[in-house]
Every structure is written in C-alpha cells, then in structure tokens.
Amino acid sequence: MSQPVTPTTARADVIIVGGGLMGAATAFFSRQRGLSVILLERDLVGQYASGTNFGNVRRQGRFLPQLPLANRSRVIWGRLPELIGEDVEFLPSGHVRVAFKQQDSARLEQYAQDCKPYGLELELYSGRKAVERFPMLSPDVDCASFSPLDGHANPRLAAPAFGRAARRAGATVLEGAEVTNITRTSEDFVVETAKSQRFTAPLLQISSGAWAQKMAAAFGENLPFTPKAPQMGVTEPVPYRIQPVIGYASWVEEEGVYLRQVKRGNIIFGGGQRGTVDLVAKRARLDPLNTVRQMPHLERILPDFARLRVIRTWAGIEGYTEDDLPVMGPSARIPGLYYAFGFCGHGFQLGPGVGATMADLLATGQTEIPLAPFSIARFAQPSAQ
Amino acid sequence: MKGLFRRVAEAERPHITITVDGQPVTTLEGDTLLTALLLAGSQLRLNEFDQKPRAGFCLMGACQDCRVWTENGDELRACSTPVSSGMRIVTAEVPWTSQ
Amino acid sequence: MDKPVVIVVGAGPAGTRAAQTLAQAGLRPVVLDENRLQGGQIYRRQPENFSRPASKLYGASARSATALHTAFEALLPHIDYRPETLAWGISSNQLLTEHHQHVETLPFDAMIIAAGATDRIMPCPGWTLPGVFTLGGAQIALKAQACTIGAAPIFMGTGPLLYLVAWQYLRAGVKPRAVLDTSSFKTRMKGLSGLRHRPAILAQGIRYMADLLRTGVPLHAGITPVRVEKQENDTDLRVRGVTWRTARGQLRHTEGDAVGIGYGLRSETQLADLLKCDFAFDALSRQWLPVTDEDGATSQKGIYLAGDGAGIRGADAAESAGELAALRCLADLGRPVAQKEVECLRDALKPMNAFRHGLETGFPWPWKNAADLPDETVICRCENVTAGDIRRAAGPLDAPEVNRAKAFVRVGMGRCQGRMCGLAGTEILAAARNIPIEEAGRIRSAAPVKPLPAKIRGIMT
C-alpha cells in the first residue's frame, strides 16, 4: 500500500502502531468517527497473525464476558461488503463443536446454557441426531454444539481490506514503517520510524500483536507474554460439502483441531500443539511433525478427510497472555495510550468489533462494551503500583 | 473419440484390462495410468474451477495435474502410477460416503 | 563413533554419483528417490518389461546413461536405497519422508540435495488444453512409455531440449509439424562463445537441427507464441494447432494435434528453502537460486546441492557436481579426501559454467512475453489464476511482491506450489508494477514439498 507521497512528518488525532486486523479496523472506524489517523505498519498490513490465522468467525466457546464484544463484531462481519467495499469471503455458515467424550459433551451443554444471557443461542445435537444434522461427521460423535450465525472468512483478505478502506476514508496508512522510538511530550506522543519519519498525536494505540509487549513495557506496563505459532495447513480443493466450521471440543491440547472448507473447495485446518516463534527474525516455525499429528484427529471428526491430500502448511505469529485473554483498553498509567493486542489465537472474529470499540474509546474515552477483564491493569505488580 | 497419445514401439507386452468410468480399457503391462488413458481418450479429468478437461502436463510428478481416482476414492497421480490388472479408475472425484 | 548419516535426495546423475562417492568412502548413504526406478529424468529408465536398447533411448548419451545405471546397480548393497519416497519436510535435524502413505523421520548429519529440475514454463493462451505437455513430458512419454504425445506434434519454446525432443520424435517415426523457437538467430549467436566450451554438445545440437531441416521439419526462430488453438466437439476438447508471430510480427498458424512446450529448465529448490539455505538472485536465469560455493556447499552447515537443482548445467556437469559435493561433505565430516580429485572435478566443472552461460544467453527465457499475455490467460494452472488476476493483485490490491499476490489472488497456491507458474507469475507482477524482477521476490516454499496424503501414519506422537 505504498502512498503516492510518504510524509516524513505529520500530526494526527491518533497514531496506531501495528497494521494487523486490530490496527487496520481501528483506523477505519476511527475515520468513521471523524478522527484523523496515522497507521504505521512495519511490514505489510495483515501479514502476521492477522493474515495467517485459521479464519474463524466463532463466538461459541469464548470466555463469556467477551461475548458482548464478539456479538458486536459479528454484526459488523455481517455488514462487511457494504461497510468496507470489499468482499473478504465471510460465510455465515455456522460453527460446530463436536465432542466424543461425555465430560466434553457436558461442558458443551453447560456452555450452551451459560451463553444464553449474552444473546448467543446454540443448538445441541446428541449422538445420532448430531450425525443426522451433520452427515459429514464421524458416526461416534457424542455431542455437537451448533452456532448457526457464526462462520468463517478469509484472513489473507480481511486486514488488508480494512487497511484499504481506512485509506479510502482518509487515514494515512503507511507500510514499511517500523517504529523505532516512542516518546511523550506534555501534549503528544512522538513516534519515530526506522526511515526517520516523525509523527505526533495526542492519542496512541499499540496493536502490534506479538511485538506489542515490548512497547507496553517501555511505558512501564509489562506482562507475562509468549509468542506462539499456530500450525496451519490446507488440503487440495474438493467439491464444496462442509458448510460449517468444525472444531474438535476436547480439552486435550493435541486433539483440539479444527477445519473449515472454503467455497472453492480447499479445507483449511489447524490446531493441536503450537510451534515456536523467532520475534527478531519475524519467523514462525511450522513443524511438519505437527501436521502429521493433526491427521488422525482431523479424521476423527471428519472421516472423509483421510481421502484428501495436504498441499501446503504454514504458521503464524501470535501473542499469548498468561490468562488467555487479550489486552484491550486504556493504559492504566499513561493518559491517551490505548492497547489492543495479545488476542491469544482467537482475535480474528473479534477484529472488526475491536476496531469499532477502540474507536469509541479513542473518540470519546468510553464504550458500552465491557472491557474490564481485558485491562492491562490486571498484570500490574503490587510493587510497581 | 481418438486418443491423444500414439504408441510407437514396445507393443509386444502382455495385455491387461482396467476399468475406466465403468468401461473396459485394454492396455499393456508397464504402461502408466496416464498412458493408458491418453491412448484411449483425450483427457484425464475436469479442472475443478472451469470444468474444462485436463490431460496432465509434466509427466514427471511435478505439476499434479494428472490425478484420477480409484472407485473407492483414493487419488492417484496418473503419470507415476503403473497400471495393474483389474484396476478400477474413475476420472471424477468420488462422492463422500457421508453425503 | 557411529558412521555419520548422509542423506542423498534424488537418484539422477548427481545423486547417483554423490551416493557412489560416499559409499566408496565407507559410508552407507540413504538415497531417497521419488521415482520408481533410478536414473533421474534425463536417464530415466523404461519399465522392466520394455526392450529398446540404450542407444535408442538415450541416443548420443547412451554410454553415459548405461554407465550411470550400472554404477547404481553395483552400489545397491552399499546404500540404503528408498525409491518412491518423497522427502517432504524438515523438522530440526530430521528429514520427513513419505512412502506409500507411511511417514518416517530420518535424522541426518549431512544432506546432499540432487532434486533436479523441471521445464521452465511461459504460459500462453490455450496451454492448459489436453495435448499440451512440457518438453520434458513429451520426452518421458517417448523414453519411458514408447509413446508420442500426438501424431503431429509441434514443439515450441527455446533451448537445446526443444531440438533434442523434436529430433527424438522424428527418429521415432513421428515427424514434428514445426519447431518454434522464441530465440532469434541473432540471440543464439550471442550464446556461441559460451556454448563453444562444449564443442561436442554444440555439434550434436547442430546435427539435430540439420536432420530436422533435411527431413522438412520447419524450424522457426525468433517467434512469439500467440495461442494454442483448440478443437472442440461435444465432450472432446483438444489441441488443433498453434498460432504464433514471426520475428517480423506476421501471424502464422501451424496445424498439429499436440504441443510440447518448454523454455529451458528451472531448479527444484524447495528442500533447500525449507532447510533455510540462503538464496540469491541469479540475473542470468532471472531466478532466485540457493547460494552455493563451487563445491555445492550451501549457507547451512552440512547441506549441499548438486546437479540441476543448484542451477542448470546438464547431466555431465551433474555427475561431476554430485561427486564434488560428496567429497566436500566427506571433508567437512572430517574424512580424508584426495585434494587432487577435488581440484580435478572443479576444473571439469568450469567449462560447464561457461556452457550454462552460453545456454542462458543464446536461448533466454522470453520474460518480456509475460507482460503481453492477455488478461484472461490462465497462469496458475492449479488454481486457474489468470494474468488479469495477478495484475489486479499488483495494481488495485497493491501487492509489492509475489507472495503477497499469492495471498490475495492465489497464484502459486495450488498443488504444484508454483512450480509451473511461479516464474511467469512473478514476471507479470514485476511488469505490472514496473519494478525489477528481483524486487518481485520468489514464491516461498512450504511443507509438504508435494501433496501429502492425509492418511499418512507412522510417527509416534
């Protein structure tokens, strides 16, 4: 997204550091609220976690207090082609979680009860009924939990589409702009890049994913944080038969695989053990042994998977916090500083909602979406207070 | 329908019969599936996106364009699979058992 | 100390000689080959129940082919030979293989990759029609199956293989309708100084052309492909001929029922990429190639490349390079190596490098054609991505290099992982953005190197 003219210095209402889905969506919605925006992306918009994730637009199974945010996001997903002018292949074809063990089924049943007050209605199918409803599933499925309004989208397209839409709406979206230094004057944050550009704004959002921890720490807000690499793969295209996303509801890490079929036929899969990440080299490792390990579990949920061929694998770079919840909302220490990072491998669905909610905060300082569980304050050490 | 390929030598090999889309096809031991199918006809399968016929391309296992299926759904790369007597081949992906 | 484990990937000329050199030094290399029979593509064997003599199969190279096959038979007791085995991924110091849906992990101390090459392809409208094959494919049909790709084939492209295959077809009794070469006579002359380094090969090429001309096969130079024409009735769709432009720009049509196309060769570099070997842009061939020193050592310790997989120099060079890479590997493993032998091989390879230069100069990849391909031309035949799709990625979607274009429009994303379309797709992107080709990047490799059955089993978890 090379701008015709790259400014070397500029001031705006808000600077967003990191052009993943969170940053790009925030840039777009901030423009909708009339803020002037500079988005600084070190490489290309949506290149890391945002572009390499599974593409799940799933609400069911989420941490319950996160559902208001997820619901808001789901509404935006449904409005996407009109809203941003580009199709990102969102298919609201539903999401199924399947359990083979009774204790896992019990958890699905419990969740289906607990999520109701949040406006998420799930359909439960037990035993034979599950296979009647979803004939592609293995006959020994014990329980299937179906979320009819969830679905999936193309992560390679979503963040860049938001980036382009933000630019069309007047945001300054700079790729190849690696932030090297952030300081704060009495009025503004001053952000400098490796190309000696200098940008200033009274508001700053850090949404640089797996690389955000260092930036937060520089503002005195460190947290335990681990980058991990989801292990993804895709099969050859076959006729379109599997509408919903299917996830294996197991609390055994290695069994936790998931798959979805895109309309042109490929089946995308992931899950199980995660790989290691080199943040400096910006490289995530796909361990092909993990691909081999995924196969029996994928076949367990979808027996016909065994006929297919895997044609490509990849990994992404995701940031994980200790409690598996993101860091989202205002800084606990610095006025004007906001965070949206560390989505622990489940940020894709939230992306548009995060953008809209962060724009609320940036424009008005408040939002109706409850964000308390995601505050960075939860990691503050008593001694540092 | 005439085949694409022409056999120019090595015709003195035992005949074997395979089944392609339910029809018997006579071929010679040592032929690959691609050879057998392109001596008998002009295509191996339809491309899944434009539904136009394809007949392989590289013959050395690189382009992946020559696949066919066994009747029970296993995919075979025709250029590198030798024929064997009684093989039952189909030139379209086999519907899943679950559908 | 246990004997070090050295894996040789590929059993063509380079792999065979590498394995032989390792075995002579007392090692027992693991030799992995995707093919059912040893020999590689160039010395590919016919099935066991075929009877044509080597002279018929390999022509002027019959002696080299037989020598390579014989040497390999003698090696069998001394190597761990695994035919029909795909080397598809790397997990730290283990190579993952697949054989009949069974996975194995092979730890290794060193690896010599002799993965060879495939035809370099410049698509043109109609190139996905039944009846269009690569030149290598056309040759394999004849060599390994005693078949021709049609009764009236047209051979189009450039490079020595164009004339060799046309000549082999002529000898097999199937007269080519034409040989259409994108390289002009003037361009070929520029390659002469390099080609002269191997006078015997040059003379052979001239003989092929003379034989073709004498029997009335038209040889056209400096052509531009326009499209492969189709003939269609009911369910049958196939080649009817080729429309092309003369060097002066006049439209011509040649009737034919099959087309062999190829523009030189491109190296198979996926494993080197997965092993994180450094790559550098090779301006001569306009390709990114793994960086090696003159012995074939890569930037990664213990990883060596030999043969066409390291850069296209042909079969004779591959044999020397295989041996040289193995000697280097032995030396790096602390084994005694006769330095004289090493020097000898290095010297033998020097004219091969000059010859390669001559080939690329005299029969260049017609990269400029990419910019002129109509938007509706299929470029990626796996995913049916068109030239127009790539231009949309380059323009409105603003993809600065080919992996970004792949992410947006799927070029190179299919089963073959860009082997057929990667180079042309990158040229289209570079032309559309008006940037040098080296800035347009190269399609990154990913495991599995070739499609892997989901049925694979065999690793303890």
Side-chain angles (χ1 to χ4, degrees):
Chain A
M1 288 188 199
S2 45
Q3 298 272 110
V5 181
T6 304
T8 52
T9 178
R11 188 169 190 277
D13 295 328
V14 56
I15 293 172
I16 300 167
V17 177
L21 182 55
M22 306 309 167
T26 307
F28 174 78
F29 287 107
S30 296
R31 280 303 302 144
Q32 290 222 319
R33 286 179 159 273
L35 298 176
S36 59
V37 178
I38 297 170
L39 172 65
L40 302 176
E41 162 54 40
R42 178 189 54 198
D43 293 305
L44 296 171
V45 167
Q47 194 175 352
Y48 295 98
S50 301
T52 53
N53 70 80
F54 174 62
N56 220 349
V57 182
R58 164 187 68 86
R59 288 173 299 161
Q60 71 165 329
R62 277 182 191 277
F63 176 60
L64 291 167
Q66 200 174 57
L67 284 175
L69 179 62
N71 289 340
R72 181 180 196 181
S73 205
R74 173 60 186 83
V75 171
I76 301 169
W77 279 108
R79 292 176 51 212
L80 269 198
E82 310 88 83
L83 197 63
I84 61 172
E86 287 187 43
D87 180 19
V88 299
E89 298 174 10
F90 172 53
L91 276 183
S93 51
H95 183 284
V96 199
R97 304 176 80 203
V98 296
F100 293 91
K101 290 180 267 208
Q102 277 180 4
Q103 79 245 39
D104 293 338
S105 302
R107 294 196 207 212
L108 294 183
E109 283 155 22
Q110 184 65 47
Y111 189 88
Q113 286 302 319
D114 296 345
C115 68
K116 269 186 192 160
Y118 293 91
L120 179 60
E121 292 289 336
L122 304 180
E123 300 167 13
L124 286 174
Y125 300 90
S126 288
R128 263 194 41 216
K129 287 206 173 100
V131 185
E132 278 164 21
R133 176 69 180 80
F134 304 105
M136 72 290 278
L137 293 178
S138 173
D140 61 340
V141 164
D142 186 62
C143 178
S145 168
F146 183 54
S147 177
L149 299 180
D150 286 347
H152 53 117
N154 187 338
R156 298 191 309 272
L157 303 182
F162 267 103
R164 283 185 290 268
R167 177 175 291 162
R168 282 192 296 270
T172 300
V173 178
L174 298 181
E175 295 182 312
E178 180 172 9
V179 170
T180 49
N181 194 34
I182 306 176
T183 52
R184 193 162 173 267
T185 66
S186 55
E187 289 165 10
D188 278 346
F189 292 93
V190 181
V191 180
E192 291 162 288
T193 72
K195 291 177 184 162
S196 302
Q197 297 148 304
R198 190 170 178 278
F199 303 103
T200 53
L203 298 171
L204 177 71
Q205 174 175 316
I206 290 174
S207 44
S208 48
W211 291 270
Q213 175 205 17
K214 255 177 100 173
M215 294 184 180
F219 285 108
E221 294 182 293
N222 208 349
L223 67 154
F225 198 74
T226 315
K228 293 182 194 174
Q231 309 284 289
M232 307 301 307
V234 64
T235 71
E236 60 196 330
V238 286
Y240 183 55
R241 301 177 171 114
I242 306 171
Q243 285 78 29
V245 180
I246 305 175
Y248 191 150
S250 166
W251 278 258
V252 177
E253 186 188 27
E254 193 162 305
E255 292 178 347
V257 296
Y258 38 79
L259 62 91
R260 68 185 177 101
Q261 187 177 22
V262 299
K263 266 199 170 158
R264 58 186 284 123
N266 309 77
I267 297 175
I268 296 156
F269 60 87
Q273 291 174 15
R274 293 179 181 87
T276 55
V277 169
D278 181 342
L279 281 185
V280 177
K282 300 185 279 188
R283 257 169 137 154
R285 228 171 75 82
L286 179 289
D287 185 344
L289 286 174
N290 284 338
T291 309
V292 178
R293 291 182 187 119
Q294 286 165 336
M295 296 298 117
H297 305 301
L298 290 162
E299 188 181 339
R300 181 83 204 277
I301 50 179
L302 187 78
D304 284 307
F305 192 86
R307 306 178 166 204
L308 304 178
R309 278 159 201 262
V310 177
I311 63 171
R312 196 161 36 86
T313 59
W314 67 93
I317 301 180
E318 296 175 338
Y320 288 78
T321 61
E322 255 185 351
D323 57 10
D324 226 23
L325 295 174
V327 174
M328 186 178 167
S331 158
R333 302 189 67 210
I334 315 279
L337 176 61
Y338 292 86
Y339 297 116
F341 69 90
F343 283 83
C344 306
H346 57 248
F348 184 66
Q349 190 277 347
L350 298 176
V354 169
T357 304
M358 294 309 294
D360 292 347
L361 290 175
L362 291 165
T364 68
Q366 52 195 345
T367 179
E368 286 177 4
I369 301 295
L371 295 179
F374 317 124
S375 169
I376 197 161
R378 71 190 192 272
F379 298 109
Q381 298 294 319
S383 57
Q385 294 276 310
Chain B
M1 187 166 67
K2 250 177 26 184
L4 284 184
F5 275 20
R6 297 285 172 277
R7 199 190 294 283
V8 293
E10 303 282 359
E12 311 301 314
R13 286 175 282 139
H15 286 58
I16 55 177
T17 300
I18 63 171
T19 305
V20 179
D21 294 329
Q23 301 297 313
V25 169
T26 301
T27 180
L28 304 183
E29 205 176 284
D31 286 351
T32 64
L33 270 176
L34 182 137
T35 299
L37 268 71
L38 295 186
L39 281 165
S42 66
Q43 66 185 59
L44 297 177
R45 66 176 188 105
L46 300 180
N47 174 270
E48 53 271 68
F49 304 116
D50 63 11
Q51 304 304 315
K52 297 272 173 61
R54 292 283 175 93
F57 185 55
C58 80
L59 273 64
M60 56 178 88
C63 77
Q64 315 300 330
D65 211 353
C66 66
R67 60 197 172 279
V68 293
W69 293 263
T70 64
E71 281 182 356
N72 48 28
D74 286 332
E75 195 177 297
L76 300 172
R77 198 164 63 193
C79 77
S80 47
T81 308
V83 293
S84 59
S85 190
M87 246 178 177
R88 300 184 69 84
I89 298 301
V90 289
T91 63
E93 198 246 18
V94 179
W96 288 1
T97 44
S98 60
Q99 300 293 301
Chain C
M1 189 185 124
D2 284 346
K3 277 187 192 176
V5 177
V6 182
I7 297 177
V8 177
V9 180
T16 301
R17 293 303 179 194
Q20 187 179 27
T21 307
L22 296 168
Q24 278 164 355
L27 302 188
R28 187 182 167 79
V30 182
V31 179
L32 306 173
D33 192 28
E34 273 183 56
N35 289 325
R36 219 166 52 80
L37 300 170
Q38 173 266 355
Q41 301 304 343
I42 179 88
Y43 300 140
R44 183 185 266 265
R45 302 186 193 205
Q46 56 189 359
E48 292 86 341
N49 63 344
F50 283 48
S51 59
R52 290 167 298 170
S55 59
K56 193 124 200 182
L57 293 177
Y58 310 109
S61 311
R63 199 181 291 172
S64 302
T66 308
L68 193 83
H69 295 159
T70 312
F72 190 77
E73 302 304 326
L75 262 184
L76 283 174
H78 310 291
I79 62 174
D80 177 356
Y81 171 47
R82 304 183 183 201
E84 295 184 282
T85 302
L86 173 70
W88 64 271
I90 306 289
S91 178
S92 51
N93 70 330
Q94 301 179 99
L95 177 69
L96 276 76
T97 67
E98 183 257 341
H99 169 75
H100 295 179
Q101 304 175 350
H102 186 81
V103 175
E104 270 194 65
T105 51
L106 302 177
F108 60 90
D109 299 296
M111 191 188 307
I112 299 173
I113 305 171
T118 67
D119 294 81
R120 181 163 54 176
I121 296 300
M122 176 60 74
C124 69
W127 75 296
T128 57
L129 285 170
V132 183
F133 297 92
T134 64
L135 287 174
Q139 193 186 39
I140 286 167
L142 187 57
K143 203 156 49 179
Q145 293 284 281
C147 287
T148 60
I149 58 171
I154 299 163
F155 294 103
M156 180 165 74
T158 197
L161 193 58
L162 183 63
Y163 297 94
L164 172 61
V165 176
W167 183 82
Q168 288 173 327
Y169 268 58
L170 181 69
R171 293 259 304 207
V174 172
K175 187 173 155 183
R177 286 298 169 94
V179 177
L180 306 174
D181 192 333
T182 51
S183 174
S184 67
F185 284 116
K186 207 172 129 193
T187 304
R188 280 182 233 175
M189 289 304 125
K190 288 184 202 155
L192 258 190
S193 62
L195 296 172
R196 275 205 198 100
H197 282 84
R198 303 194 61 196
I201 305 269
L202 180 59
Q204 234 171 59
I206 292 169
R207 188 188 141 208
Y208 296 149
M209 292 187 197
D211 284 354
L212 288 162
L213 279 173
R214 193 158 32 77
T215 49
V217 176
L219 307 184
H220 297 285
I223 69 107
T224 306
V226 174
R227 68 186 157 265
V228 179
E229 303 288 354
K230 66 182 180 214
Q231 141 179 324
E232 200 164 4
N233 46 46
D234 298 333
T235 57
D236 196 22
L237 177 67
R238 59 170 78 190
V239 168
R240 181 168 60 82
V242 172
T243 300
W244 49 283
R245 268 180 211 285
T246 65
R248 291 184 178 167
Q250 289 154 323
L251 267 191
R252 289 275 190 278
H253 179 76
T254 303
E255 294 278 321
D257 65 358
V259 186
I261 62 171
Y263 298 83
L265 301 176
R266 56 158 281 284
S267 303
E268 283 281 285
T269 58
Q270 292 82 4
L271 274 180
D273 203 1
L274 294 182
L275 284 155
K276 303 188 178 114
C277 295
D278 288 345
F279 278 57
F281 181 72
D282 175 51
L284 184 62
S285 60
R286 294 175 70 86
Q287 296 175 45
W288 287 81
L289 291 172
V291 178
T292 62
D293 66 10
E294 64 177 327
D295 300 342
T298 67
S299 62
Q300 291 290 336
K301 190 172 169 284
I303 307 299
Y304 309 85
L305 300 181
D308 282 348
I312 307 302
R313 294 187 296 190
D316 297 349
E319 290 194 42
S320 302
E323 198 178 337
L324 183 57
L327 288 174
R328 173 60 179 275
C329 170
L330 288 165
D332 291 348
L333 288 168
R335 302 259 161 165
V337 163
Q339 200 51 37
K340 217 178 134 194
E341 221 174 314
V342 171
E343 293 301 336
C344 205
L345 287 163
R346 286 177 184 163
D347 286 344
L349 282 168
K350 277 179 189 137
M352 310 285 191
N353 292 333
F355 186 76
R356 170 175 177 245
H357 195 279
L359 277 182
E360 287 289 354
T361 314
F363 301 97
W365 157 244
W367 58 274
K368 286 181 179 152
N369 294 1
D372 298 327
L373 289 172
D375 273 350
E376 61 276 13
T377 313
V378 168
I379 304 299
C380 170
R381 64 187 287 136
C382 295
E383 294 283 329
N384 264 24
V385 177
T386 64
D389 292 331
I390 298 169
R391 289 175 188 135
R392 185 169 60 89
L397 299 179
D398 204 13
E401 54 85 49
V402 68
N403 292 291
R404 186 72 160 174
K406 175 178 160 186
F408 287 157
V409 299
R410 318 183 65 92
V411 57
M413 207 174 237
R415 290 173 171 92
C416 91
Q417 287 206 8
R419 283 174 172 84
M420 301 296 127
C421 71
L423 294 172
T426 311
E427 294 284 1
I428 291 169
L429 180 90
R433 290 181 73 87
N434 199 18
I435 55 172
I437 185 70
E438 57 269 39
E439 282 179 26
R442 64 184 174 91
I443 291 183
R444 279 189 293 269
S445 308
V449 162
K450 288 188 179 172
L452 188 71
K455 267 184 201 168
I456 44 162
R457 294 294 183 267
I459 291 178
M460 298 300 128
T461 50

